[in-house]
Amino acid sequence: FWQNRSRSNQSSSVEDMVSGLSSGGGMQTKATQRRTGYPVLEMQSPRLFFVFVVALCVLTTPNSALNTEVSPCPVETPGFETQTVPNGGNVNVEWKSEVAFDTIVYWLSFDGTESSAIVLPAGLTTTGGTFPGHAFRVRTYNDELVWEYRVPTEGPYDAVVKPCGDLASRVPLLYPEGKEKEFESLVHDPDAPCVGHSRDWSCVRRLPYEDWLARGTEGYGFLESETSPDRVGLQTDAGYVRQIAMVPKVGSFGPGYVKMTMPKAMREALLPWYAEMKRDKEVHEPIPGGYTNVDKVPMSKLNLDKYPNVRVLIVKEMQQVMQWWTQ
């Protein structure tokens, strides 16, 4: 019912995360407001000053004076569900957010059951394939209803999510108040020693460059049967690296990454789910480019495109972690 082709860079699967769940692997609001500062200008011309003041008045005019009055939020429509439309072929709906907070788009089944389809980031646009007659609800992260939408039988297929009620003043901008204390308590000591067998490590091991060079390549990197002769023993990619210098350091602390335990909400949801669903793991397809030996040493995965509710939970929780770490 939904094929997502988002203009934002959201991943459709979280294989690295799920692969560490079986061993209990580790992972990472005080709402903030933006402050607007007006420029201090020394102006010689009264006419220019007048133009500046008028422009300032336009920029600071209340919403009501600009005919942008916010409508009340809707209530759920009884019996709202997906319907079959005769001769209704696949259509692309363009979802556009005009609200100041992220929302979740839920698809409604033929009996009205909601199933999360996508996360619609604030102010962004995404396109998805669906069918005329299909029904959707848009909710906040707090499960408050923002909008109901049924795909029309004829275009245009534009789904514009607009603000409603006073939601913008009640939705946490970054994360729920007090959650920063949980995140802070989950951060690991980056200087903790690596003790015991390496299979039990959960630490950062720093190896001097000279020691790394001295250990040679035998037993490390690609094996002869896995790659071309010039890449045997290769451990570091030296070809696709130009972008590294352009990656900004966005973390508010640490060397550019933070090592931490998985948050409680994610751990309590994912570990039982993984224990139950790991029997449905798929063989990972080959990864082009020669970056892995997956064609020789198979990997398995749980494709989160098939578990949209779990994917939304991960997106919500990790977004809060990232917004806490980078503020």
Side-chain angles (χ1 to χ4, degrees), residues 182-200:
E182 178 195 358
F183 294 155
E184 291 167 0
S185 70
L186 298 176
V187 176
H188 296 185
D189 179 4
D191 298 319
C194 299
V195 179
H197 196 283
S198 59
R199 65 170 173 262
D200 300 320

Side-chain angles (χ1 to χ4, degrees), residues 7-301:
R7 294 181 191 173
S8 59
N9 292 324
Q10 296 184 10
S11 172
S12 294
S13 62
V14 189
E15 298 155 15
D16 291 342
M17 180 189 302
V18 174
S19 67
L21 293 179
S22 58
S23 59
M27 293 208 11
Q28 318 168 354
T29 106
K30 174 172 70 178
T32 59
Q33 293 182 333
R34 295 174 182 157
R35 293 178 295 177
T36 303
Y38 295 110
V40 178
L41 302 179
E42 182 179 350
M43 311 191 84
Q44 303 298 326
S45 168
R47 181 177 300 174
L48 287 176
F49 179 73
F50 175 77
V51 171
F52 177 74
V53 171
V54 170
L56 203 57
C57 290
V58 171
L59 289 173
T60 58
T61 300
N63 287 341
S64 58
L66 295 177
N67 297 319
T68 58
E69 185 175 347
V70 177
S71 302
C73 288
V75 296
E76 292 185 14
T77 303
F80 191 65
E81 58 193 27
T82 284
Q83 300 174 350
T84 300
V85 175
N87 302 318
N90 184 277
V91 298
N92 288 326
V93 174
E94 183 169 89
W95 293 86
K96 181 179 181 181
S97 171
E98 292 187 354
V99 298
F101 47 86
D102 296 345
T103 54
I104 303 173
V105 180
Y106 292 86
W107 176 76
L108 276 70
S109 67
F110 291 94
D111 64 2
T113 302
E114 293 185 8
S115 177
S116 55
I118 59 167
V119 172
L120 183 60
L124 297 185
T125 299
T126 186
T127 301
T130 185
F131 297 86
H134 282 221
F136 296 86
R137 284 195 179 112
V138 181
R139 297 185 180 274
T140 68
Y141 278 10
N142 296 334
D143 206 37
E144 297 181 86
L145 183 62
V146 181
W147 190 40
E148 290 182 331
Y149 172 73
R150 186 185 303 282
V151 182
T153 55
E154 297 181 356
Y157 303 105
D158 297 328
V160 182
V161 181
K162 297 181 178 293
C164 71
D166 63 345
L167 288 181
S169 65
R170 294 189 286 112
V171 174
L173 296 182
L174 298 178
Y175 42 81
E177 184 177 357
K179 199 157 186 178
E180 71 278 6
K181 293 183 175 59
E182 178 195 358
F183 294 155
E184 291 167 0
S185 70
L186 298 176
V187 176
H188 296 185
D189 179 4
D191 298 319
C194 299
V195 179
H197 196 283
S198 59
R199 65 170 173 262
D200 300 320
W201 283 357
S202 181
C203 57
V204 178
R205 182 177 182 233
R206 296 174 176 84
L207 191 66
Y209 182 66
E210 293 75 15
D211 292 353
W212 178 78
L213 286 177
R215 73 182 187 179
T217 60
E218 186 176 354
Y220 299 95
F222 284 110
L223 303 180
E224 186 175 355
S225 60
E226 298 173 340
T227 187
S228 57
D230 60 312
R231 290 169 58 86
V232 173
L234 186 66
Q235 303 170 53
T236 304
D237 176 33
Y240 187 61
V241 296
R242 185 172 62 89
Q243 79 285 0
I244 294 178
M246 297 181 281
V247 177
K249 180 182 176 181
V250 296
S252 58
F253 62 88
Y257 61 87
V258 61
K259 179 177 173 293
M260 60 189 297
T261 299
M262 191 182 300
K264 180 180 179 181
M266 187 179 297
R267 184 172 63 251
E268 292 181 347
L270 290 185
L271 294 183
W273 170 78
Y274 180 77
E276 179 183 357
M277 304 307 299
K278 63 182 180 180
R279 63 178 182 274
D280 297 329
K281 291 187 295 185
E282 309 169 6
V283 175
H284 200 298
E285 64 276 8
I287 301 173
Y291 295 106
T292 75
N293 60 351
V294 66
D295 56 323
K296 303 294 184 182
V297 182
M299 287 196 302
S300 59
K301 67 175 181 179

